[in-house]
Amino acid sequence: MIQLEPINGFFKKERALQAIYPMRMLIVREGNGFLCMNSGDYPLLKGRIFFIPEEGLVRLDGEITSGYWLSFSSLLYAEFLLQHLDPQAKNLFLNLSFRDLDSHRSTKTYSLLDQLKREINVKKDIPFLAQYLSLFLGYTAGLNGYLAALTLDDLQQVLRFRAILEQFFRQERSIQFYAEGMGMSAGKLNKFLDKVLGKSLTVLIKDRIMREAEELLIHSEYTIDEIAELLGFEQTTNFNKSFKRHRGMSVLQFSRLA
């Protein structure tokens, strides 16, 4: 569902780049020449990230000294869209677009890519990789503005936390569990989350559960009782109360509107 490979060498536009999955990104660390698409030719510049639409062959004419070629499935992209509802996110891969990063953001980007490559190589599960990729896309596209101000260490910690949360939010509510996963004390984790995300762990877990509830109510055939059980609620009434506090309407009202 995801492929990330270093790319370098000389390229001629007579031969298209191959990608296993439809969503494609070219990350140029050092290079010169052009990325050639039906819509035109785009310079390969240092620190330039291309977001490439599903349609159309990708051809390079020039040299990439250092870079990455990333492709991933539409399913992984869907997780990104769930977390970024603004039109800029939905249009990110509609037409060819690119973003130029300064040296500071480029350093962060390549460190994150190196880490993502390691996670892929050790065969981390899909929910983990989906969360990591979603935040990476948000960061490189400039949609997660708060991430830009973080240090590289803090940024990697945020990515790690969100990936752990994505794996375990349905069944784990204990701060001690997440703290151990992060290699921190419970107090240090809450301080970190408040600093970088502005929310406590309890609120972040509730937000994620409610977002999942909304998705299941809209896009699944599960009953309300089944959804409550899937999300770790012992009783459906508890699920209904939590949902109403979060959305300002009952589960049944939301289902009817959806």
Side-chain angles (χ1 to χ4, degrees), residues 86-100:
D86 52 287
Q88 188 178 349
K90 295 180 180 179
N91 296 335
L92 190 58
F93 289 91
L94 188 62
N95 300 299
L96 189 138
S97 61
F98 58 82
R99 184 172 176 83
D100 293 322

Side-chain angles (χ1 to χ4, degrees), residues 224-226 228-229 233-241:
I224 293 174
D225 288 340
E226 289 170 336
E229 183 178 356
F233 290 91
E234 293 183 1
Q235 297 181 347
T236 303
T237 54
N238 294 336
F239 171 51
N240 279 317
K241 289 177 182 177

